Structures are given as structure tokens and as C-alpha cells.
Amino acid sequence: MGMKKYRCVVCGYIYDPAEGDPDSGIAPGTPFEEIPDDWVCPICGVTKDDFELLEDEAIKITPKNIETTSGTKERSEELEFNEIVPGVFYVGAEHWDRRLFDELIPLPDGTSYNAYIIEGNDKIALVDTVDPEMIEVLFNKLDRLGVEHIDYIIANHAEQDHSGAIPYLLEEYEGAKVVTNAKCKNMLIDLLQLEDDNFIIINDGDTLDLGGRTLKFIFTPWVHWPETMTTYLVEDKIMFTCDFFGSHRATNRLFVEDEHKVLEDAKRYYAEIMMPFRKHIQKNIQKLEQYEIRYIAPSHGPIYPKPDLIIDAYKDWISDRVENKVLIPYVSMHESTKIIAEFLYEELTARGIKTIPFNLIETDLGQYAIELVDAATVVFASPMVLGGAHPQAVYAAYLTNALRPKTKFVGIIGSYGWGGKMADQIKSLLVNMRAEILEPVLIKGLPKDEDLDRLITLADTIAEKHKSLT
């Protein structure tokens, strides 16, 4: 029997004794047991204690032979890379060129629709599916992996970018059942016109035995729909969290590698989708933390081999902590409002306050949403248009209200020609926010000296308010 291979439980790196690790001074032919104790994983830096024996017999799904220009090989590098742990595979789809989600959310880095095959000794489960547009990618991966039957399709969430392929899978894999909760079942019947006998209904905390592997279902409602749940693979300690902890990011890297970039994408995702549900998220994080988690496998973006990375980030985002930061979303028709906004920007900057202007005609609203996550103050700047705010400012106020950030203070500034009720209009659009509304500064035409003094007073007020931030 040859020397055994070992797998890093954090990043998936496989130590092959035949190859050794020459870059670290480990010669080819060195058994894992003989590696010095101070050796670390060359990919993620963890110690030998975080490696496990790689049992060849553990994988029962055998990928089909794949013809290549150099002949036939047993497994493609892609399939090898898509293995999370033995017998658990990523079979989702990367949508590299998608640039808008829900006809609303910008996707500068594309997105992915993550689906996962889990093989037990007796049953095979598919956790979530893909957007119908990418159904052929899913079928191709299942075919290349050699999946001839699926017993259970786990539906963590009814939204079609995860559930849309279910009707095609039920047609392809005779006898497969959709496993989900009662709320999700009703939504799937409405959205996909599935039949009642397609389902197996589970309750919070129920388990499903695959033979040597157990799925446990944890209800995590309002992240971000009321029916959403999380599936926990007990033996391998993998949390399949669907949209929870996701990031809109297309990548062929299975695990998180560039932590800074992934957290940037995850923060955008949180800001645009999850932020209105902060209180629900707090409860759901506490619920998930009762379990030992080795991997977090969301439905968008790469898998987290260090779960605390995204959990700690979420804890900060959902906390009441805000930064000494002001956002100025503005629109200007004839330069007056732009001059007013720029003057306030300079005054706030002079007081040591991080200030970010957003020209609403050109800005990426996703970037604005990211900054909303922890901004202490938002100042809306708009000209008067037919007695009210400019439509772009109205939309910015509406969007801010819908996202329900933890913003503490709101200001309203702008220019007008003869009159109107712009301030009242913007205030009426912010009913969901618990922010203090500061005294508006509305200026007739171009600002005069006394108008600039009012803007200076507003900057002083904001600076004083920010002193109370913890």
C-alpha cells in the first residue's frame, strides 16, 4: 500500500508524499508522519494538526472519463478542485457577464449560483440549484461527476436564482423529492407550479439521514425571505447558508483566497440585500453559532474555510456601531446645489470627518449602499423641481429608507428658485429610519455669505453630534 495523502481541512490543499513540499524543504517521498511539527500548509499556513487522512474509498461518485487532447484521464482538474471534502462537490454555475441582479442591483464582479452534491452511503442530495439561465452548466457538471440519480433536492430558499432549475431536475432524476419547509413549499408551488407530491416537508431542527452523513435543517428566516433556511452537514461540519453570508462574485476559485476583495463583495451584498433585516440576522447568527462550523458554503460567491472571517464581519455590520462618516448624495441641474454640496464637503473635511459625495447621475448605487452600512450621517442635496426634490434625490431617499441603515443623523440641503416643499417631501420618504433630522439648509439660487454661514453651522452641528459616537 502506498503512502497516504493528507488534506488541509481549512483550504483543501492535499499533501502528496510522492511530491513532498520542496519549497518548504520537504523532499519527495517524505511520509506525512515524518514532516517536522513546525511545517505549515503552503497555501493557508495552518499546522499539521489541521490535516486529515484522505481516504480514497470515501469517494463513491466516480466522475466519468473525460477525453482530452492528450488522452483519457480519470478525473479533470476542475472536478478535483470542486471537491470540498471527499464526497461533497460544488456543481454550481459562474455567471461572469451578469451585470444587474433583480433588474436593480449592479454586479461589477458578476455572480455565481452555488449548488452542492452530497453523497451518503445510501442517498445522494443536491443542496440548492441554479438560475434557469444556467441549467445546462449544472447538468454538465452533474454528468461529468457521474451523478446518475438524486434522491433529495434541498431547497433552502424559493427565489428563482436558487430554485429555478428544480422542475428540470425533477424531470431528469425520476423519484427525486424536494426537501424544504412548509413556507418554502408554498412559494415554490406558486413560483414554479410544482405539484404537492414533489415535496418532503421538514421542520426546524429535523434531520435527514443519507447513510453515514446527516443533514440538519435550521430555520433562518428573513435572510432575506421569510422561508429561508440553512442546511448543516453534521459529520463534515459544513453550513450551507444559501443567501446568508453570500457575495455576488464570479470566480473559479472554490475557497476564499483574497479575503479583502471577498469581504468587499460580501459587504456590497449585505448592504443591498441583507441590511434591512439586521435584527433578524442577529438572531440567526446566534442560532448558527451553536454549531461547530468548519466551512460556510453560501449560494453566491466562494466558500469560507475560515467561517469567523464572514461571521465577524457580519457582527460588525449589524451592530449599532457607526463611523465618523458623512455621505452626501447630490444632484445638481445648474451648479447651485453642486456648489452648496462641495462647500459642505470642504467644511466637514476640515473638521476631520470622513465625507463621501455621490453624484446621483453617475454613481454606482451599490457603492453608495456599501458606505451606508456604517455611515453616521447622510445629507441629501437636491435642487427644487416643480416644488419638490429632483427625482434622482427622491429615489436616493427612497432607497436609503428601504435599506434601513443604522444612520444616526440626516441632513437636507439644496437650492430653489421660488419655493416648494422639498424638505418635507424627503422627510416623508424616511419613515423607516430612526435618524435625527437636522435643520434643513435650503438656499435661494447661488449661496450668499449668510447662506454659507448656515452651512458652516450645519457642519459644526454634525461634528458635535459625531462626538457622541461610540
Side-chain angles (χ1 to χ4, degrees), residues 11-277:
C11 70
Y13 165 78
I14 296 174
Y15 176 77
D16 184 349
E19 298 177 0
D21 182 14
D23 290 341
S24 301
I26 309 300
T30 304
F32 184 81
E33 294 79 6
E34 296 180 10
I35 297 176
D37 290 338
D38 60 356
W39 177 82
V40 297
C41 174
I43 301 299
C44 67
V46 300
T47 66
K48 287 177 64 178
D49 292 338
D50 290 309
F51 277 71
E52 64 182 2
L53 179 65
L54 183 61
E55 296 284 0
D56 295 336
E57 296 81 5
I59 303 175
K60 296 184 179 179
I61 295 178
T62 304
K64 294 181 178 179
N65 290 341
I66 299 168
E67 292 292 338
T68 68
T69 55
S70 59
T72 301
K73 57 182 179 179
E74 290 183 358
R75 305 180 58 153
S76 73
E77 291 180 2
E78 176 189 356
L79 291 175
E80 206 169 274
F81 185 78
N82 285 352
E83 185 180 68
I84 304 169
V85 298
V88 181
F89 298 87
Y90 169 84
V91 290
E94 297 76 47
H95 203 158
W96 294 92
D97 56 356
R98 186 166 184 177
R99 289 293 174 264
L100 197 63
F101 199 80
D102 291 341
E103 304 306 312
L104 174 66
I105 298 168
L107 299 178
D109 296 316
T111 192
S112 66
Y113 317 109
N114 299 349
Y116 305 93
I117 277 287
I118 303 173
E119 190 219 17
N121 293 328
D122 304 319
K123 303 289 184 180
I124 292 176
L126 174 67
V127 178
D128 293 320
T129 72
V130 300
D131 188 282
E133 187 176 348
M134 307 298 283
I135 184 65
E136 291 304 322
V137 176
L138 173 61
F139 276 131
N140 181 55
K141 289 185 178 180
L142 292 172
D143 183 60
R144 295 177 69 189
L145 194 57
V147 177
E148 296 181 351
H149 76 279
I150 293 174
D151 299 285
Y152 306 118
I153 301 168
I154 313 302
N156 282 323
H157 178 30
E159 198 169 7
Q160 291 94 323
D161 55 317
H162 311 297
S163 69
I166 290 177
Y168 304 94
L169 288 160
L170 291 175
E171 183 177 342
E172 180 71 17
Y173 296 98
E174 186 177 355
K177 294 292 184 181
V178 179
V179 179
T180 193
N181 60 73
K183 282 186 179 180
C184 191
K185 169 194 170 182
N186 292 335
M187 286 186 173
L188 290 172
I189 289 174
D190 290 336
L191 295 173
L192 304 177
Q193 297 184 341
L194 301 181
E195 300 296 330
D196 189 79
D197 61 2
N198 291 140
F199 293 90
I200 295 174
I201 302 304
I202 50 86
N203 295 306
D204 191 13
D206 281 358
T207 59
L208 183 64
D209 183 13
L210 304 181
R213 279 195 160 112
T214 309
L215 300 180
K216 184 167 185 176
F217 304 104
I218 306 164
F219 286 12
T220 48
W222 293 111
V223 286
H224 58 125
W225 281 17
E227 88 303 355
T228 308
M229 68 182 193
T230 292
T231 299
Y232 181 57
L233 180 53
V234 176
E235 290 77 12
D236 297 283
K237 301 178 177 59
I238 303 174
M239 280 285 183
F240 299 97
T241 56
C242 202
D243 279 339
F244 202 8
F245 302 128
S247 58
H248 279 310
R249 179 170 174 76
T251 174
N252 69 347
R253 312 311 291 167
L254 187 61
F255 299 101
V256 169
E257 294 181 359
D258 185 342
E259 293 182 355
H260 175 77
K261 177 57 180 170
V262 169
L263 285 182
E264 182 181 282
D265 287 329
K267 189 174 185 180
R268 174 186 285 264
Y269 187 91
Y270 166 83
E272 296 172 333
I273 297 172
M274 296 291 179
M275 187 157 56
F277 309 103

